[in-house]
Amino acid sequence: MATLQATTSSTWSKVDPEAKDRIEAIADEYNFWGAHTEVNIEVKESPDEETIISIYGYAAFDPSKPIYEDGSVVDHEYGHAEEFLERIAPHLEEHLVIETIGHEKARFPLLAGQWSVWPDGTVQYDSFDHSPEKPDSSEQDDQSDSVGESEGVTQ
């Protein structure tokens, strides 16, 4: 059975320096483990002496929440990326972008996605489209015409 090999990296986005402990407490409520290792969430001082958040690791960005039974973790509930990002958004001072790319045995289809979060709480996910719809020939002609015009190419 193939195992997903993924890598995640983010921008070094500025956060409110007073919110460092709050962001870390929010991250502690989630699990960021992948097949082999985890995604790290660091809130630290950058070389420019700004407080930044950095998200990186050798796993897909897919936060889960542990399910406890009798004080022990018995399972994980997946699909909490948007919730996590909405919770840290108020502490951001600028746009944060998180990208994940991966594959299984270097075969298609690969995993490629980007999460974007803004300080106002807007969260967006864009994924690599494995099944794009073929444009109509008229749409394709219109696109090629507009490309030529924008690049100053004459036909």
Side-chain angles (χ1 to χ4, degrees):
M1 183 170 188
T3 302
L4 177 66
Q5 302 290 315
T7 302
T8 295
S9 184
S10 77
T11 54
W12 285 15
S13 297
K14 290 187 276 186
V15 296
D16 176 4
E18 303 293 319
K20 181 180 188 292
D21 292 336
R22 180 69 185 127
I23 294 169
E24 290 172 347
I26 292 169
D28 286 344
E29 295 177 29
Y30 298 85
N31 182 324
F32 297 91
W33 277 93
H36 298 292
T37 187
E38 68 182 316
V39 170
N40 301 293
I41 313 294
E42 287 187 356
V43 182
K44 61 185 180 183
E45 195 170 294
S46 73
D48 299 341
E49 298 182 10
E50 298 281 346
T51 303
I52 57 133
I53 187 168
S54 176
I55 300 174
Y56 64 93
Y58 293 104
F61 181 74
D62 185 19
S64 64
K65 280 190 165 180
I67 298 171
Y68 293 95
E69 190 173 290
D70 299 325
S72 300
V73 176
V74 294
D75 203 357
H76 289 88
E77 184 178 75
Y78 293 90
H80 290 281
E82 188 169 356
E83 174 187 300
F84 170 75
L85 294 173
E86 287 172 347
R87 291 183 66 196
I88 67 167
H91 308 294
L92 295 173
E93 292 184 348
E94 62 185 357
H95 179 221
L96 171 68
V97 177
I98 305 160
E99 295 179 341
T100 296
I101 189 162
H103 62 85
E104 290 182 350
K105 291 188 175 184
R107 287 186 257 170
F108 189 81
L110 67 113
L111 162 72
Q114 174 178 292
W115 285 97
S116 298
V117 59
W118 288 265
D120 70 357
T122 302
V123 175
Q124 177 180 331
Y125 181 73
D126 296 303
S127 176
F128 186 82
D129 190 352
H130 297 285
S131 302
E133 289 188 27
K134 183 178 178 184
D136 293 339
S137 60
S138 61
E139 288 178 25
Q140 203 168 20
D141 292 341
D142 291 344
Q143 288 176 350
S144 64
D145 286 345
S146 63
V147 169
E149 291 169 8
S150 67
E151 294 175 357
V153 176
T154 58
Q155 295 181 351

